[in-house]
Amino acid sequence: MKTKKALAAVLGMTMLSGSFVVSAPAEVKAADKKLVFWDKSEYVAAYNEMMKAKLDEFAEANGVEVEYVIVPSGDIKQKLAAAIESGNQPDLIMGDNTLVAEYINSDQLAEVDDVLENIDFKENALRYATFNDKNYLVPLSFTAPGMYIRKDKWEEKGLDMPTTWEELKEDAEKINDPENGFYALGLPLGASGGGDAESFVRTVILDFGGRLVDENGKVVVNSPETLAAMEYIASLYEEGLCPPDATTWDDSANNSAWMAGTVGMVCNSGSIISSMEQENPDLLANTQIIQYPAVSADDTSYTLGGANVFGIFETGANTDVAKEFVSYYFSDTDYYNQMVEAMGAMWQPVVNGYDDTDFWNAEDHIGWLKNSENLVLTTYPAPTTGEAATSFTNQACVKAMQQIVVNGVDPQEALDSLEQS
């Protein structure tokens, strides 16, 4: 395995504060235009390598000097804060939609209607562009969660993969084996501040036909559909299909339970796939990613999750060049598709035309694609505002479910409390 310094030498990079800086080829050093792009490092090294290649191509074709900085995801907020304070912010960044959107309210990001109008984005991808009714973000990829199933446990009982929430529960009852330390469902319900539990509860509410708010942000949570969803979720814990301590789990606990082989289903990102590849290939061989269930075959199966997006800094020195590059990047749709597939299904395409391929029809990948088709923001169907985001991070739905499961509160009383929250 190459060291970072060796890899930097191969790719024409230098090290800066733990991140890679990629300079433009020497022949464009005297270019009239410049682009400073801060990108997050990805699990799959091919992504950053492919992005660098596209930047080099853009630099040569357009006479642009490019500074490409690869920053670990955990460091980017701190580094951006320092750069903004000193007036040295980049022209372009890439990160998850929640992180990049933080720079909208501080008037850092440019509106991007002129970029979006020339790209054939999927309809639900465009939801990730909008904040306060204006378009500030350019979607790069969906990062839909997957429903991980222990297919060996299902096969032992002669069960098909579940397609409805009721089928999932019925299957869980058959594979559940708490006496031997195995629980069918690894669903966190801890009010830890993370997003896994809140996303799960909101997903089931949406699938059952409930809504927390309408399209205008009006609270409409108190409905028979939401009540039915909450009663269903509560039953999974009350009937012992989830580990007893799941009501205290944070976002890492379901990962750990899956890797330990003590649960038969979790909902999570592709990070678990990477962990299994490195630590437990036998478990990976017994894992199947399926589409999230619906209430019935005729109903929509929603998935709550995020996307990677470009953010173009209005306060950067080269806003127009950043827009030129993003447009240039999406003009090569075959290259875009290759980059998405290089991520091994951890990313899903946000542009139309690349779903019906051998890659996405493969059993290992199709579940991720299906989950991206109805992927919605965690605040759906509310307008994307700071208030809606705060509602999610406060975990109002998880806290209402804890009233039922932990404190024995009547479900309708807990729903009334959720309405007030």
Side-chain angles (χ1 to χ4, degrees), residues 47-58 68 335:
Y47 160 74
N48 292 117
E49 295 168 5
M50 293 180 74
M51 185 61 79
K52 177 189 180 297
K54 182 56 65 176
L55 282 160
D56 286 348
E57 179 184 291
F58 172 76
Y68 181 44
Y335 195 83

Side-chain angles (χ1 to χ4, degrees), residues 127-372:
R127 297 190 185 115
Y128 290 84
T130 306
F131 196 90
N132 289 338
D133 296 324
K134 294 182 179 180
N135 292 318
Y136 291 99
L137 309 176
V138 181
L140 173 60
S141 68
F142 290 126
T143 52
M147 181 168 280
Y148 290 68
I149 294 285
R150 277 287 298 272
K151 62 181 179 181
D152 56 330
K153 298 292 185 179
W154 258 254
E155 288 170 356
E156 286 174 8
K157 300 295 183 181
L159 303 170
D160 295 326
M161 292 295 106
T163 59
T164 69
W165 287 107
E166 194 55 43
E167 286 178 4
L168 176 66
K169 183 179 176 182
E170 291 171 356
D171 291 354
E173 291 168 350
K174 294 172 183 174
I175 70 166
N176 205 43
D177 188 13
E179 291 184 1
N180 290 303
F182 183 84
Y183 290 86
L185 308 176
L187 296 167
L189 200 64
S192 62
D196 286 1
E198 186 74 6
S199 292
F200 164 65
V201 176
R202 290 187 180 217
T203 296
V204 178
I205 289 173
L206 287 174
D207 285 352
F208 273 65
R211 297 292 184 270
L212 301 181
V213 295
D214 64 15
E215 293 82 355
N216 299 312
K218 179 183 177 182
V219 176
V220 294
V221 64
N222 210 327
S223 69
E225 292 82 5
T226 303
L227 180 62
M230 293 174 70
E231 290 174 337
Y232 170 83
I233 295 168
S235 72
L236 305 179
Y237 300 88
E238 292 169 344
E239 295 175 24
L241 301 176
C242 298
D245 62 346
T247 55
T248 65
W249 279 6
D250 61 16
D251 279 3
S252 66
N254 57 342
N255 301 52
S256 299
W258 181 266
M259 292 300 295
T262 59
V263 294
M265 183 276 275
V266 294
C267 301
N268 214 289
S269 70
S271 61
I272 295 183
I273 295 288
S274 299
S275 297
M276 287 190 288
E277 287 174 343
Q278 297 173 28
E279 302 171 25
N280 197 337
D282 291 339
L283 179 59
L284 179 59
N286 285 314
T287 297
Q288 185 166 338
I289 306 299
I290 68 167
Q291 183 177 5
Y292 272 51
V295 171
S296 74
D298 297 325
D299 291 304
T300 299
S301 168
Y302 287 96
T303 314
L304 270 66
N308 285 310
V309 299
F310 289 114
I312 297 170
F313 274 71
E314 178 84 334
T315 55
N318 307 285
T319 302
D320 290 341
V321 182
K323 288 187 175 184
E324 288 175 22
F325 170 71
V326 174
S327 297
Y328 182 89
Y329 171 83
F330 279 105
S331 68
D332 188 350
T333 51
D334 286 338
Y335 195 83
Y336 169 75
N337 187 59
Q338 292 169 25
M339 183 178 286
V340 171
E341 291 188 359
M343 292 299 296
M346 290 175 63
W347 285 16
Q348 305 86 42
V350 292
V351 295
N352 288 307
Y354 287 92
D355 292 356
D356 189 16
T357 65
D358 290 343
F359 180 88
W360 289 116
N361 286 321
E363 182 181 279
D364 290 346
H365 303 148
I366 193 169
W368 296 107
L369 181 69
K370 291 295 184 183
N371 284 328
S372 77

Side-chain angles (χ1 to χ4, degrees), residues 17 38 71-86 88-90 99 102-103:
S17 301
W38 286 20
V71 187
S73 298
D75 297 342
I76 195 164
K77 286 182 69 172
Q78 180 182 358
K79 291 182 180 296
L80 274 171
I84 291 169
E85 185 175 354
S86 65
N88 293 314
Q89 54 267 57
L99 181 146
E102 291 184 19
Y103 302 97

